């Protein structure tokens, strides 16, 4: 959350001359409501089922840069679909997250005690991000352009 996946994803797509797609945007468009509303109205399990389908469809129908929501890797089937794909895990520490997002209540999983919940989410998810990642790129203290350059280098996609 707040790591810059949308901004970096769009920059990567521009640099690579390909399309950009975000599964969170797909979900909002298909459902006609925000992700926070889905969480509140139907709960996390229902959202994760919607997210799993959105990721499956996006991976099957999009050849460019694809940004996934932070919880997408919780699903074993989704992790299996990501195997063999070029996946960049954009990492950051909690202090950077506070600077970027303020860890506000608009993030449904961080509504109560945001710093503690962010740390717990990362402890539970980090190994899953690393499992699917082709490259891990730290975003702390870097601009989106710098992160994009490091990601291109890490994926060996930079122009010679």
């Amino acid at each position: 959350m707040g790591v810059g996946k949308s901004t970096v994803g769009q920059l990567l797509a521009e640099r690579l001359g390909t399309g950009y797609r975000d599964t969170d945007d797909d979900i909002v468009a298909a459902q006609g409501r925000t992700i926070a509303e889905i969480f509140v109205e139907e709960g996390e399990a229902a959202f994760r089922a919607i997210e799993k389908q959105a990721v499956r469809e996006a991976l099957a129908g999009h050849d460019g840069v694809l940004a996934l929501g932070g919880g997408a890797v919780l699903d074993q089937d989704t992790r299996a679909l990501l195997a063999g794909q070029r996946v960049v895990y954009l990492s950051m520490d909690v202090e950077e997250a506070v600077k970027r997002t303020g860890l506000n209540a608009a993030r449904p999983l961080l509504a109560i005690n945001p710093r503690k919940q962010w740390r717990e989410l990362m402890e539970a998810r980090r190994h899953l991000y690393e499992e699917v990642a082709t490259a891990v790129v730290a975003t702390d203290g870097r601009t989106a352009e710098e992160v994009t350059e490091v990601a291109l280098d890490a994926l060996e996609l930079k122009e010679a």
Side-chain angles (χ1 to χ4, degrees):
M1 292 177 244
V3 75
K5 70 179 177 69
S6 298
T7 302
V8 172
Q10 290 170 358
L11 287 170
L12 280 169
E14 286 174 21
R15 291 287 304 278
L16 296 170
T18 191
Y20 169 80
R21 184 170 174 178
D22 186 321
T23 57
D24 285 351
D25 294 341
D26 291 351
I27 292 167
V28 170
Q31 296 291 311
R33 54 195 168 146
T34 67
I35 290 171
E37 290 169 334
I38 297 168
F39 264 82
V40 169
E41 294 167 10
E42 296 186 41
E44 184 176 359
F47 172 75
R48 295 295 173 210
I50 294 167
E51 179 180 53
K52 178 180 179 175
Q53 184 60 34
V55 171
R56 177 182 308 280
E57 290 173 6
L59 284 169
H62 181 71
D63 291 330
V65 175
L66 180 63
L68 306 182
V73 298
L74 295 173
D75 182 77
Q76 182 177 351
D77 295 335
T78 297
R79 291 193 309 274
L81 289 172
L82 293 171
Q85 303 286 332
R86 289 184 177 137
V87 177
V88 177
Y89 161 35
L90 300 178
S91 70
M92 72 177 165
D93 68 22
V94 69
E95 296 311 317
E96 186 77 8
V98 168
K99 281 190 250 177
R100 292 185 188 188
T101 68
L103 296 179
N104 61 35
R107 311 264 183 192
L109 292 178
L110 301 178
I112 302 168
N113 196 347
R115 283 177 190 249
K116 179 178 182 262
Q117 288 187 299
W118 189 91
R119 282 189 184 100
E120 288 173 359
L121 281 173
M122 287 309 300
E123 286 172 16
R125 295 177 179 180
R126 183 174 286 113
H127 73 283
L128 299 174
Y129 296 148
E130 291 171 348
E131 176 186 320
V132 300
T134 306
V136 178
V137 176
T139 65
D140 303 83
R142 290 179 166 158
T143 66
E145 291 78 11
E146 290 168 333
V147 172
T148 301
E149 285 297 316
V150 172
L152 287 167
D153 285 343
L155 294 172
E156 299 179 355
L157 295 173
K158 195 169 182 174
E159 296 105 359

